[in-house]
Amino acid sequence: MASNQQVKLLGVKGSPFVARAEIALKLKGVQYEFIHESLSNKSDLLLKNNPVHKKVPVLLHNDKPVCESLVIVEYIDEAWTGSTILPSDPYHRAQARFWSKFVDDKVFPAVFKAATNPNEKEREQGGEELRESLKILENELKGKFFNGDSIGLVDIAALFIAFWLPIIQEAVGLDLYNSEKYPKLDKWGQEIMNHHVVKEVLPDRDPLLAFFKGRFRSNTPSK
Amino acid sequence: MASSNHLKLLGGWFSPFALRVKIALSIKSLVYEDIEEDTLNSKSQLLLQSNPVHKKIPVLLHGDKPICESRIIVEYIDEVWNSGPSILPSDAYDRAMARFWAAYIDDKLCVAMRHALREEDEQARKAYLEEIEDSLATMEGELQKRCREGKGYFGGEEIGLVDITFGSLLCWVSVLETMNGRKMIVEEKHPCLVKWAERFEFDPNVKGLIPETEKLIEFAKALLMMLKAAAAAK
C-alpha cells in the first residue's frame, strides 16, 4: 500500500451513513481510499477498528479509527481546514447538532417502522411519526439549505430524506413524503442532490431500489 | 426579557440528563437559575416554548436562547466558557473518542435502562438487564485502558464528557439494581468502574447534586403508575 495513503474510509456504497463521511471528506478536499466492505462478511479490518458496533462507516486516519457517522463528520471538520461543515458560533453549532440528532433519532426509526414493521398498526404509527418529523423539518428550513447558503452538518445528515426515502417509498409502496406536502423540503432535496460533491457520492438509484425491494418487501404482507 | 447572559436551567431533581448540565455548569463555576419542572404532572409554558420539538428537560436558556439535549448543552457550555477547565479534550481525535463513548452510553446503556425500567414482563426485563451488564462490561474495558495509563477518569485526570454522561446515570443504575434485586456494578467484574464511581460521586463538581436512590425509587414507581394509567386511557 502506498505510504502516503493516510486516510481510509471503510464503507458500502449504498449506505446513507457512509455517504455522510464521504461528503465531508470531499468537501475538505481530503484524498482517501474507499475500502468496500461486505456487510454479510465483515473484514478483520472492520471488526478490529469498530469492535463495539461492527458497522460502517469507519474512518481510519493514520490507522486511528473514528466510528459513528456524525462523530466522523465533526472529526473531519476539525481535523482538516477548508470549508466549514459546522458553524463557528457555539449557539449555531448546538442547533446544527440538535437537528442532525433529530434526523437520526426521529426520522430514520420512523421510516423503518413505516416501511418494515410486520404489524400494520405499527407501520401506520411509523407513518404518523414520519409525517410529524418531516413537518417539523419543513418548518425549520428557512434558506436554501439548513445551513444557509452552503451545505452543512444538518444538510449532510438529512440527505437521507432527499435521496434514500423516495427510493424506500417506491420499494414498499408508500407516499408519506412528497413535493405537495413538503414543498420546501422537496426543493431543498433537489438543491442538495445537485451539489457537485453530493452528486459524486450518491450511489446509482436502480440497484438501491432493487436492494430495498428485496430487503423490505419480504417484511410486509402484500397490499 | 432576560439579560443576554442570564442562565436558566429547566430541569428536574430526578433527571440524570439535567444532572449532566448541572455538573458542567459547576465545572465552569457558572451561576444559574435552577427551575424545577414538575414533569410528572404538567409541563410549563416556558418548557413548551423553549423545547417545542421534544418538550423535554433539560433545557438551558442562555439569555433568550434555548439549548436542548443534554450532551449538546454540555458541549455548548464547554465551547462558550472556554477559559475554564475543559470538559472535552483539546485534541480533535480525543474529542471524537469522547463523543463516540458519550453517544454509546446514551444509545446502548441508557436505552436498555429505559426499557428495563418500564418492562413488565420478567423475561423481557431480564434481557434488558443483561444488555445493561454488557454495556457496563464494555465501559469497564474502556476505563481499564485509562487506569493502565495512570488516569482516573474517562476524561483523563479530570472528569470530562464521558464521565459526566455515564456518571449521571449511576443513581438510576442503583434504582434498577434495588428494584430488581440484582447488583450490576460489582467489584469482581468492574474493579475500575467501582473505584471510578466513588471518585465521580465525590468530585467537587458532582458532590451534593446526586439524588438519593430511595427518593428516585419512589419517583420511578410514581412514573410507572402514571405511564400505566396513560396507556390504559388510550
Side-chain angles (χ1 to χ4, degrees), chain B residues 12-230:
Chain B
W13 64 271
F14 51 86
S15 165
F17 311 106
L19 177 56
R20 291 170 184 178
V21 179
K22 289 177 187 169
I23 295 170
L25 290 166
S26 173
I27 289 171
K28 303 288 188 178
S29 302
L30 293 167
V31 169
Y32 61 98
E33 195 184 334
D34 191 2
I35 297 177
E36 190 69 22
E37 283 284 327
D38 182 17
T39 47
L40 269 188
N41 293 310
S42 65
K43 300 187 180 192
S44 73
Q45 266 306 104
L46 184 58
L47 174 59
L48 297 174
Q49 264 170 255
S50 310
N51 191 356
V53 174
H54 299 301
K55 306 175 177 55
K56 283 182 175 177
I57 54 161
V59 179
L60 182 72
L61 288 160
H62 188 191
D64 286 332
K65 298 187 292 206
I67 301 106
C68 310
E69 298 291 291
S70 62
R71 283 167 16 229
I72 294 176
I73 299 172
V74 171
E75 283 214 52
Y76 174 80
I77 290 168
D78 199 39
E79 287 175 9
V80 172
W81 289 277
N82 53 16
S83 57
S86 292
I87 297 173
L88 270 90
S90 46
D91 172 73
Y93 185 75
D94 293 338
R95 264 203 301 284
M97 292 297 98
R99 287 176 182 139
F100 173 86
W101 286 110
Y104 175 84
I105 296 284
D106 275 351
D107 294 345
K108 297 288 170 189
L109 176 62
C110 200
V111 167
M113 284 173 69
R114 189 171 268 132
H115 282 306
L117 185 66
R118 287 158 171 73
E119 181 57 60
E120 288 183 13
D121 177 78
E122 210 185 312
Q123 280 299 100
R125 197 171 349 114
K126 241 183 98 186
Y128 289 125
L129 294 173
E130 282 164 14
E131 271 183 49
I132 291 171
E133 285 164 350
D134 286 342
S135 303
L136 293 172
T138 301
M139 295 314 291
E140 170 70 20
E142 199 46 35
L143 188 57
Q144 280 183 11
K145 291 184 201 163
R146 302 287 180 292
C147 291
R148 284 197 287 271
E149 293 165 12
K151 307 262 162 73
Y153 297 102
F154 291 97
E157 313 270 339
E158 303 282 345
I159 65 172
L161 178 69
V162 182
D163 303 277
I164 295 171
T165 303
F166 186 12
S168 58
L169 291 172
L170 288 172
C171 49
W172 276 95
V173 173
S174 296
V175 168
L176 286 168
E177 286 179 330
T178 307
M179 286 174 83
N180 290 283
R182 178 176 178 149
K183 276 298 259 170
M184 289 187 282
I185 300 183
V186 290
E187 177 103 40
E188 309 88 70
K189 285 195 227 165
H190 316 104
C192 288
L193 279 183
V194 167
K195 294 197 196 81
W196 165 82
E198 220 172 295
R199 273 195 294 275
F200 179 81
E201 279 159 27
F202 284 98
D203 184 281
N205 293 302
V206 176
K207 210 160 156 216
L209 292 176
I210 299 183
E212 285 169 37
T213 304
E214 291 309 315
K215 291 211 171 95
L216 283 178
I217 291 174
E218 268 175 53
F219 175 86
K221 289 182 176 160
L223 173 68
L224 289 172
M225 276 208 313
M226 190 196 81
L227 291 172
K228 242 183 160 160

Side-chain angles (χ1 to χ4, degrees), chain A residues 73-92:
Chain A
V73 173
E74 282 214 46
Y75 174 74
I76 291 168
D77 198 35
E78 293 172 8
W80 284 278
T81 55
S83 47
T84 54
I85 298 171
L86 271 89
S88 45
D89 167 73
Y91 181 66
H92 294 128

Side-chain angles (χ1 to χ4, degrees), chain A residues 22-38:
Chain A
E22 270 208 280
I23 290 168
L25 287 168
K26 284 184 188 285
L27 284 172
K28 295 287 195 177
V30 177
Q31 300 285 10
Y32 62 97
E33 184 193 350
F34 189 102
I35 298 181
H36 293 263
E37 283 290 330
S38 160

